[in-house]
Structures are given as structure tokens and as C-alpha cells.
Amino acid sequence: MSPNPATIDLARAVERWEPVIGLEVHAQCTTRSKMFCGCRADYAGLAPNTNTCPTCLGLPGALPVANGEAIRMTVLTGLALQSQIPPRSKFDRKNYFYPDLPKGYQISQFDLPLCVGGWLEFEVAGVERAVRITRVHLEEDAGKLVHPAELHRADFSLVDLNRAGVPLMEIVGEPDLRSPQEARAYLVALRQLLLYLGVCDGNMEEGSLRCDANISLRPRGTEALGARTEVKNLNSFRILQRALEQEVLRQAARLEAGETLHPETRGWSEAEATTVAQRSKEEADDYRYFPDPDLPPIVLEPAFVDALRGELPELPRARALRLRQTHGLSAEEARQLTQLPGEADYFERTVSAGAPATLAANWQVNELAGLCQRAHRTVESSGLPPERLAALLHLVDSRAVSAPTAKELLAEAIASGADPADLVEVRGLRQVSDEGALAEAVDRSIAAQPKAARDYQAGNDRALGALVGQVMAATRGRADARIVTRLLQARLPRDPGP
Ligand code: ADP
Ligand code: MG
Ligand code: ZN
């Protein structure tokens, strides 16, 4: 296979130009109601413009009331990111005109965000990295414009305000990322953290987690930052990485042609597999920010912040480390099992139910994960409670059931919801490891395949496979292959060498 020309170009571009990337991540909070009114925050499946009220429609005279739960979730996120939580914060109006913004301004936070500073540690290709967090603030989501085609080609738009006013956390990172791959790994880690905190459902396809990526290039070995492009609304990990790769190529080509780049806002076009210009970048001044006179400042008592700190769950990296230390898992197993909090819970419940930890980890990662993925389910919704997996693994561990049989039963359990350990009994699938019971089948196998027996004795190891195979067939796969092998070897001493 010859390497993709774009990959070669990318490698060449980053040899000379260093990418500098900073992400702004928007996460919808999983509150019950919207940020400033009583409408539902979860608008999935509702008919357009039915999840609205005078407040989120921006009708004259309607007043906002801040959602305390959204503030709590944002501060919790800041604490998980090691941010400072200033005692005072406030909401500001960010003014701009766009059809998805009924009031003509978005309630956001300007100079006094809820959370300031901090960092997120993550791993990319086995290397430890960290991105400093600039701030985490809370704002309201805008409505949704529904386009008949991609934005830059559409000649009309439809407006759905069901989403208008949904609590939206914005997590702004410093420009500490140095490659599209790193940017992707950072977003993966941030999403994982939000899922652990239970503050966002992380669904990028449906837009509950969205990302704007800022990228500039600078000559390697220099410090000054170049003019940045902001690529808006990247809604999958794959698109984030691809859009950034395309930007590296595009900006490098311009710079090498001697052009001066200007800050601009671009969008991703899936059809053209490239970023497309949207507008030149606005400055903060353009938004005429001012404090929202309808909302009182937010005062966060130290006792409230301390109480929230106490509510922080065990976070992904700590959990992975603990799983390695207490259960002797490999780094890779621990990493895989802690990707989602529900997966780690499932593993720990399987172990509490009596399964040996290494077996439980191995079967969850290598068998169950794949079966669930194919069935479009999670381990939690797989229909196989961890106690049932533990019972099956106990049978595997005591060699009462063979691994291939157990794998088949596991697949069946996911498909039908059956209890695999029950199936073992009902169908008489217990592995035969009683030597007396196997001896007869071993003798019959040797009698039926004298040539294979002679070949094995003469030194051909592979001939043993045929003999084992016949015993397995005769016992309908229930024989313990290790014992069969041992019995055959005892019956068929090797010829002494020449
Ligand atoms: P704006 O709303 O104008 O985009 P923000 O402060 O919200 O400004 O976000 C700025 C984002 O751009 C941050 O994520 C930051 O890391 C990133 N950024 C700033 N300057 C550069 C640059 N020269 N190159 C790449 N990213 C940058
Ligand atoms: Mg921005
Ligand atoms: Zn409303």
C-alpha cells in the first residue's frame, strides 16, 4: 500500500511549520430545565418550536431566572479541572444578530466566569500531555437553524427554538496543543471527564458536545503566535482531526506562497472534505458585552464550593490507576475499562460478584465489548447483569466449561437475554475433564487414525491436532483439550531418535 499523498504533504508541512491549536468546547448540561426558564433542557424528539416559553423566545417583559443546577455542574467541572472558583461571578449580554438568537443577545459570561485556570492531563500515543484551561463559563445555547443543504450553499433556513436557552458550558483551553492528533486526544479526555462528572451526555452527533478549533502555524523554533483560524462546530472526533489537518495544509501552502494570513472564521464542509471561509473574525468589542441587568451577580460561598469538591467522583485517571493497583490489570486494560464510567462500574461489579479480576477484565475487553458494539448496546444495556458474567467466568475458571463454549454462550446471552450459566446446565455443556470418561474417546481416536498416531510418534507434532480434534468432535466440543492432549501424549510415546 502506498502512503496517502495528503499524509506525505502533512508530514512535510509540519516539518517546517509548528501547528498551535486551542479548543473551545461547548457542552450542554444534563439539567432538567433550561438555563433561564422552566422549559425542558432535553428537547430530543420534540416537534420544532414546541419547547419554548416567553423567556427563551425573548418576548418583551419576560425575565430570566438562573438555573442553580447548571451553576453547580459548571463549578463541579471547574473543580475537576483544577480551576480557581472566584467568589463572585456574573452574567453578561453578548450582542449579535443571527436568526437563531431571538433576543438579539446571548446571556453568557464575559470578564467574571465561574471557573478560571486549571489544566487537563491526557495521554496521546503513550505520551503524557497537559493542556492549561483558560476558563469555564456558563451561557445559554442558541436555537437551531435547519438548512436544506450545507450552510454556505443554502438559499433559505428554518428556525427551531427548542434548543434556545439550554445551559451550555464553555470550556476554553490555552493554545497548548501541537498536532491534530493531540487535539483529538484532548477532546476524548475532556468528554470522558464530563461523562464521569455526569454533567453532559457527550453526544457529539446530536450536538450536546461541540467543539470550535483554533489553529495557527508558526515556523518551527519560533515563539510568536501566528494569525488563527477558528473552525466552527466540529461534531465528531474524526472531523476535528481532519479539519485541523486540512487547515495545516491550507495555511502552510499560503505561508509558503508568501501570503500574510488574517484571523478568520471557517466551517467544515463534509462534501468538499475541507474547511470553507465564513467570515473574518470578530473581536470582543464587536459584541458590546455588558452585565445583564435582569440577573443578580452569582456569589459562591466557600462552603458551597467545598461541599462540591467533596462530591467529585473518582476521575478517570485515578480510577485507571486504582484498577491497575488493586486488580493487577495492565495499563492498556485499565485504560479500556475506564473509558466510560459505566464500563468501569460493570467490571468492578463482576469482580465483586466473585469473578477473578484478570479473567473479568480480559473477557469484558476482548469478548463482551465487541458483542455489545455489534448489538449497538453498552455493557449496562447488554441484558447481561455482571453477576451472570461472573457466574459464567467462574465456570471457565474452574474448567467446568471450555472457553470456546463460554464465548458462544456469551454471544447468545447478549442476543437473547438468557443466563449463560443456566444454559450450561440445561444443555449439559459442562466440560468433560474426568480422565476416565475421556480415556475411551482417546483410545477410539487413536484406533480410527493409526497413521496420525504413527506420524506423531515419529516426531510430527501437527499430527496430534487431528487426534485431539476427533476427541473434541466425539464429545461435541465438551472435552477439556488440555487433558485430551496430555492423555494422547501418554498413550503415544515418541520414537527414540536415531
Ligand atoms: P474567541 O471567542 O474570540 O474565539 P476565546 O478566548 O473564546 O476567543 O477563544 C480563544 C481560543 O483560541 C482559545 O482556545 C485559545 O487557546 C485559542 N487561540 C488563541 N490564539 C491562538 C493562536 N494564535 N493559534 C491557535 N489558537 C489560538
Ligand atoms: Mg471562539
Ligand atoms: Zn423557555
Side-chain angles (χ1 to χ4, degrees):
M1 213 176 71
S2 63
N4 179 340
T7 318
I8 303 173
D9 291 348
L10 192 64
R12 200 173 293 147
V14 300
E15 234 170 68
R16 178 155 170 213
W17 303 100
E18 181 177 48
V20 173
I21 301 167
L23 302 190
E24 294 162 71
V25 177
H26 286 99
Q28 287 180 343
C29 297
T30 47
T31 50
R32 289 181 51 201
S33 55
K34 288 188 181 179
M35 188 61 228
F36 299 110
C37 64
C39 295
R40 289 171 56 171
D42 180 4
Y43 50 87
L46 300 178
N49 296 306
T50 57
N51 185 40
T52 56
C53 73
T55 300
C56 58
L57 288 176
L59 299 186
L63 287 173
V65 177
N67 182 334
E69 181 61 10
I71 294 174
R72 199 192 67 87
M73 287 180 167
T74 305
V75 173
L76 193 69
T77 303
L79 290 172
L81 292 167
Q82 324 286 342
S83 304
Q84 297 299 315
I85 312 298
R88 251 178 110 78
S89 179
K90 69 175 164 73
F91 288 110
D92 302 281
R93 291 186 179 180
K94 178 178 181 178
N95 300 279
Y96 64 95
F97 285 101
Y98 208 60
D100 61 4
L101 193 68
K103 297 192 295 294
Y105 62 86
Q106 176 193 30
I107 306 178
S108 181
Q109 298 197 275
F110 183 48
D111 54 337
L112 294 178
L114 282 166
C115 319
V116 178
W119 67 89
L120 178 67
E121 293 172 344
F122 63 104
E123 211 184 277
V124 52
V127 180
E128 294 284 324
R129 296 279 288 121
V131 165
R132 289 166 299 153
I133 301 297
T134 315
R135 57 191 273 157
V136 185
H137 72 245
L138 190 53
E139 58 191 30
E140 56 178 343
D141 208 344
K144 215 178 216 163
L145 294 185
V146 184
H147 307 293
E150 285 191 53
L151 177 58
H152 61 290
R153 299 182 168 183
D155 55 10
F156 70 89
S157 301
L158 302 170
V159 183
D160 178 5
L161 295 175
N162 283 352
R163 190 178 77 176
V166 169
L168 198 61
M169 266 192 282
E170 177 166 347
I171 302 155
V172 183
E174 293 287 308
D176 290 344
L177 296 157
R178 293 291 174 266
S179 70
Q181 189 200 6
E182 254 183 40
R184 178 189 187 137
Y186 163 77
L187 187 60
V188 168
L190 185 56
R191 175 175 181 273
Q192 181 191 33
L193 186 75
L194 297 173
L195 292 174
Y196 267 67
L197 295 171
V199 297
C200 177
D201 71 17
N203 192 329
M204 296 188 70
E205 240 165 77
E206 284 169 17
S208 18
L209 184 69
R210 317 195 283 272
C211 167
D212 300 340
N214 296 269
I215 174 166
S216 60
L217 300 185
R218 63 185 172 193
R220 283 217 177 262
T222 66
E223 284 295 316
L225 295 179
R228 71 172 146 133
T229 304
E230 177 170 1
V231 192
K232 285 282 192 192
N233 279 330
L234 301 166
N235 62 1
S236 77
F237 295 123
R238 181 188 65 87
I239 290 175
L240 168 66
Q241 184 168 350
R242 285 200 65 200
L244 286 172
E245 286 170 357
Q246 290 305 312
E247 269 305 294
V248 171
L249 291 172
R250 193 187 65 82
Q251 292 185 17
R254 296 288 170 85
L255 291 168
E256 276 167 25
E259 282 181 44
T260 307
L261 297 182
H262 298 286
E264 63 174 329
T265 302
R266 300 179 72 88
W268 172 252
S269 162
E270 187 66 33
E272 286 153 52
T274 184
T275 65
V276 289
Q278 285 184 347
R279 55 178 189 260
S280 65
K281 231 191 119 35
E282 56 291 289
E283 304 279 330
D285 290 354
D286 299 337
Y287 291 120
R288 295 151 31 247
Y289 278 101
F290 65 89
D292 193 307
D294 290 339
L295 287 159
I298 308 162
V299 177
L300 297 172
E301 305 284 351
F304 169 81
V305 177
D306 286 344
L308 270 186
R309 207 186 298 276
E311 278 176 36
L312 278 174
E314 186 178 34
L315 298 178
R317 292 165 64 85
R319 191 156 196 190
L321 190 64
R322 183 172 59 78
L323 291 189
R324 291 181 63 182
Q325 287 169 345
T326 52
H327 299 299
L329 304 187
S330 71
E332 180 55 23
E333 280 172 331
R335 193 188 67 76
Q336 295 210 30
L337 286 171
T338 50
Q339 272 170 1
L340 292 170
E343 286 171 358
D345 291 344
Y346 189 92
F347 166 74
E348 295 205 277
R349 284 178 56 196
T350 308
V351 175
S352 315
T358 43
L359 209 56
N362 190 314
W363 279 68
Q364 188 176 330
V365 168
N366 296 315
E367 304 298 332
L368 195 55
L371 288 170
C372 288
Q373 199 176 6
R374 264 167 268 143
H376 302 286
R377 283 191 255 161
T378 64
V379 282
E380 299 149 290
S381 66
S382 65
L384 180 74
E387 295 71 25
R388 288 189 176 177
L389 176 62
L392 179 66
L393 294 181
H394 177 72
L395 294 175
V396 172
D397 192 45
S398 61
R399 309 192 66 81
V401 59
S402 71
T405 302
K407 282 177 197 175
E408 282 171 26
L409 294 176
L410 202 58
E412 195 176 330
I414 301 301
S416 72
D419 180 343
D422 268 358
L423 294 179
V424 171
E425 303 310 331
V426 171
R427 298 189 188 160
L429 296 175
R430 270 184 184 269
Q431 180 160 260
V432 183
S433 39
D434 173 47
E435 300 198 5
L438 290 175
E440 204 186 316
V442 164
D443 289 340
R444 270 206 300 270
S445 174
I446 293 172
Q449 305 187 76
K451 180 169 175 337
R454 276 196 309 275
D455 287 351
Y456 172 71
Q457 287 188 291
N460 178 356
D461 282 334
R462 275 192 300 166
L464 197 65
L467 296 163
V468 174
Q470 179 150 355
V471 177
M472 297 308 288
T475 57
R476 289 182 298 128
R478 290 181 302 131
D480 184 330
R482 263 197 342 191
I483 294 176
V484 173
T485 303
R486 186 149 43 74
L487 290 175
L488 282 165
Q489 283 166 338
R491 292 277 200 291
L492 303 170
R494 299 312 266 280
D495 293 338

